Amino acid sequence: MTAIGVLTMLLQIAGWTILFGALVYIPFRRSPAASQAWLLLFFFLPWVALPLYLVLGNALHPKWRRVRLAQLPAVLEPIIQRIGGGAATDKGALRSPHRITAQLVEKIGRLPPVSGNEVEFDADYDRVVERIAADIDGARHHAHLCFYILEADEAGNRVISALERAAKRGVHCRLLVDAVGSSSDYKSISKRLQGSGVEMHTILPLRFWNEATRLDLRNHRKIVVVDGQIGWVGSQNMHRIEYEPNTFYRELMARVTGPVVLELQTIFVADWYLETEEDIGTGEFVPPENLERSGAAICQVMPTGPDFPEAGVDVLFTDIIHNARDRVALTTPYFVPNDELLNAISTAVQKGVKVELFITATTNSFLIDTAQASYFEDLLIAGVEVYLYSERFLHAKHLSIDGDIAIIGSSNMDLRSFELNSEVTLIAYDETANAELQRIEADYRSKSKRLELEEWRKRGFFKQLAENLTRLISPLL
């Protein structure tokens, strides 16, 4: 046998070894859908699949990060105890299904429901930027910000300048930005803030040696905490409204006051510790006055992601849809669900629940556009009302359930948010917040095209083929 023949045979043996190894290893460490997608890739392209899986194949941080995660409960426990001891956390005020949901949320994220909060939604993009800057300008003690994307443009500079002004007044200013989401500008922003008094750290900067990090495990949160009394959470990053050329974003943020702000502070304290090993969860940054009630809403915050491996935000979405009695409205820019979420939606419709899905007509990703379109026919057959919003890029992420619960946060409805990204979600068990979300959804409805099953089925063969092929790898998107 020639040398080329020997090499070919060895490569074939190695390829089959990789495939059989994948068959043994992958199903034990992934969801069924993700396992199938990975195995399909291994079957056709084993030499491509192997390095991809080694780099991206499981939502597990490197060892150094896991060591810090093991230390985190001791850092957070005093704050969590303070929440439990200083604010009303009686689940008895919730109706029965919501008490179960609140228990689930607390089990996943360790933070209880707290009463005495006020929730205000703001969908005006530029006004949100101005209001966050104004809240920082009013800070007396500290301003803590965490954003997936922070750009040095007109929007980002408004917030950065407010932080600089606050630091000059002696306010403790801390800023966290994700290394991948903010990759275009974080170095210039960091250089600008040197000597300003604003402490800035990059979340999981890409490294491949000492303290190596993963490209795909990102912090996707958007959190603002001012003086432990004002909080912001939602979908909006800090960049100009026209982030990509001719693509104007529509977002939704929630401004909260009351004891629930301390739960947002807890998540920031955790993220800060994981990047710096500095424990800022002291009484100085958890002032007792932040436990004062400011409204009537019962709220709860749930952090999810690789740092909380027990369950993802999809578990909350699935549970709360199963418990719905009358209506469910879901808003997301990216809809690539897992089987459990799809089954919950279908089951809700069969029980007589009205289910609406508001989704942007065109995303900023061809693959996601194609993959999520593959689910529309199934949804329409089930009886889901699907609305394609076309006025802007609808980047908002929220749910309203029946007439008394509202959910808003940073999480999309896709595998990345369910398993890979660190996300934050605010749950408001409150009729007023729900009613406000319903008004916002009515505006979406008026500016959207409702899909009809017969019309949707007329799309071309090649479009359907592309959708079906992309759906095979959708668990990897």
Side-chain angles (χ1 to χ4, degrees):
M1 183 178 292
T2 65
I4 293 178
V6 171
L7 180 60
T8 300
M9 182 182 68
L10 290 174
L11 288 174
Q12 290 175 341
I13 293 172
W16 281 106
T17 301
I18 291 171
L19 179 57
F20 281 117
L23 285 169
V24 172
Y25 186 85
I26 289 176
F28 290 100
R29 291 163 174 82
R30 304 289 294 188
S31 66
S35 295
Q36 292 169 15
W38 275 111
L39 290 174
L40 188 68
L41 187 61
F42 269 97
F43 184 81
F44 286 104
L45 298 168
W47 293 103
V48 174
L50 180 61
L52 280 176
Y53 188 82
L54 291 175
V55 175
L56 307 175
N58 59 76
L60 186 65
H61 280 299
K63 183 178 179 180
W64 70 268
R65 182 81 169 190
R66 298 199 301 272
V67 170
R68 293 189 189 179
L69 285 168
Q71 299 165 346
L72 196 56
V75 174
L76 299 184
E77 191 60 33
I79 307 178
I80 295 172
Q81 289 291 334
R82 186 163 191 172
I83 296 172
T89 58
D90 183 10
K91 300 183 186 70
L94 302 170
R95 68 180 184 87
S96 179
H98 294 345
R99 288 199 296 272
I100 298 171
T101 298
Q103 181 63 38
L104 172 66
V105 171
E106 186 173 358
K107 178 67 175 178
I108 294 172
R110 301 186 65 203
L111 299 172
V114 290
S115 61
N117 306 285
E118 183 176 356
V119 181
E120 176 190 0
F121 295 114
D122 199 330
D124 187 308
Y125 192 102
D126 292 329
R127 185 173 63 204
V128 166
V129 175
E130 294 297 323
R131 294 184 69 189
I132 290 175
D135 283 338
I136 296 170
D137 280 332
R140 296 170 297 166
H141 185 265
H142 66 271
H144 292 161
L145 282 70
C146 176
F147 282 101
Y148 177 63
I149 301 175
L150 175 65
E151 295 283 303
D153 57 20
E154 53 265 38
N157 282 330
R158 287 285 298 141
V159 173
I160 296 168
S161 296
L163 287 171
E164 290 173 323
R165 290 192 296 270
K168 286 182 180 179
R169 300 195 307 272
V171 174
H172 299 276
C173 295
R174 293 180 173 88
L175 173 64
L176 289 172
V177 298
D178 185 81
V180 172
S182 302
S183 59
S184 61
D185 282 356
Y186 78 80
K187 289 183 180 178
S188 64
I189 294 172
S190 178
K191 184 177 180 180
R192 167 181 169 176
L193 292 177
Q194 288 178 2
S196 69
V198 179
E199 294 184 67
M200 174 181 170
H201 287 276
T202 307
I203 300 171
L204 293 169
L206 296 181
R207 293 185 295 258
F208 304 97
W209 47 92
N210 185 39
E211 293 191 352
T213 57
R214 289 268 299 271
L215 174 67
D216 60 330
L217 301 186
R218 295 291 104 203
N219 190 313
H220 193 240
R221 294 171 180 143
K222 295 89 178 169
I223 295 174
V224 176
V225 176
V226 176
D227 289 342
Q229 298 182 358
I230 299 170
W232 288 86
V233 63
S235 64
Q236 185 169 330
N237 290 294
M238 283 299 108
H239 55 64
R240 64 183 182 179
I241 192 171
E242 187 184 6
Y243 184 49
E244 292 102 3
N246 301 314
T247 302
F248 295 83
Y249 278 57
R250 178 161 185 179
E251 307 280 2
L252 187 65
M253 293 289 280
R255 186 181 188 270
V256 294
T257 56
V260 76
V261 177
L262 185 52
E263 299 197 348
L264 292 175
Q265 184 86 297
T266 304
I267 299 172
F268 185 90
V269 167
D271 286 341
W272 188 264
Y273 180 81
L274 290 173
E275 297 308 319
T276 67
E277 292 189 281
E278 179 187 6
D279 179 4
I280 59 171
T282 63
E284 181 184 6
F285 295 102
V286 187
E289 59 265 25
N290 102 299
L291 297 178
E292 293 181 358
R293 302 185 185 190
S294 63
I298 300 175
C299 295
Q300 191 172 16
V301 174
M302 185 173 78
T304 53
D307 300 345
F308 296 82
E310 291 81 7
V313 69
D314 57 312
V315 175
L316 168 64
F317 294 162
T318 301
D319 174 76
I320 208 158
I321 292 171
H322 273 305
N323 288 330
R325 301 164 298 167
D326 302 314
R327 68 178 298 276
V328 172
L330 307 95
T331 302
T332 181
Y334 309 122
F335 185 78
V336 187
N338 54 25
D339 290 342
E340 292 79 9
L341 183 57
L342 273 178
N343 290 337
I345 291 171
S346 177
T347 301
V349 176
Q350 292 173 24
K351 293 190 298 184
V353 176
K354 179 179 180 179
V355 179
E356 297 175 297
L357 172 64
F358 297 97
I359 192 167
T360 195
T362 303
T363 75
N364 50 5
S365 168
F366 170 78
L367 280 177
I368 293 176
D369 279 340
T370 308
Q372 66 186 14
S374 72
Y375 294 92
F376 291 165
E377 185 165 340
D378 293 339
L379 293 171
L380 293 171
I381 291 173
V384 177
E385 298 178 16
V386 179
Y387 293 90
L388 299 184
Y389 183 88
S390 57
E391 184 188 48
R392 293 183 184 177
F393 175 26
L394 183 59
H395 191 249
K397 315 158 200 297
H398 53 84
L399 296 84
S400 63
I401 309 295
D402 296 332
D404 55 2
I405 188 166
I407 298 174
I408 183 172
S410 62
S411 178
N412 301 306
M413 293 187 183
D414 61 10
L415 181 72
R416 181 159 297 282
S417 284
F418 294 166
E419 295 187 13
L420 302 177
N421 287 339
S422 294
E423 307 283 4
V424 59
T425 303
L426 171 72
I427 305 99
Y429 309 92
D430 183 66
E431 293 182 0
T432 302
N434 181 284
E436 181 59 26
L437 266 192
Q438 290 195 42
R439 284 191 288 271
I440 293 168
E441 291 156 2
D443 186 64
Y444 297 159
R445 194 180 299 110
S446 70
K447 298 171 181 176
S448 299
K449 175 184 177 181
R450 179 175 173 180
L451 288 185
E452 300 294 342
L453 179 59
E454 293 307 314
E455 180 184 356
W456 181 249
R457 282 175 167 170
K458 293 177 182 178
R459 68 199 190 283
F461 168 78
F462 289 106
K463 181 174 176 58
Q464 295 182 50
L465 178 62
E467 291 168 3
N468 291 334
L469 291 175
T470 309
R471 184 166 179 167
L472 292 174
I473 61 168
S474 64
L476 308 182
L477 295 178

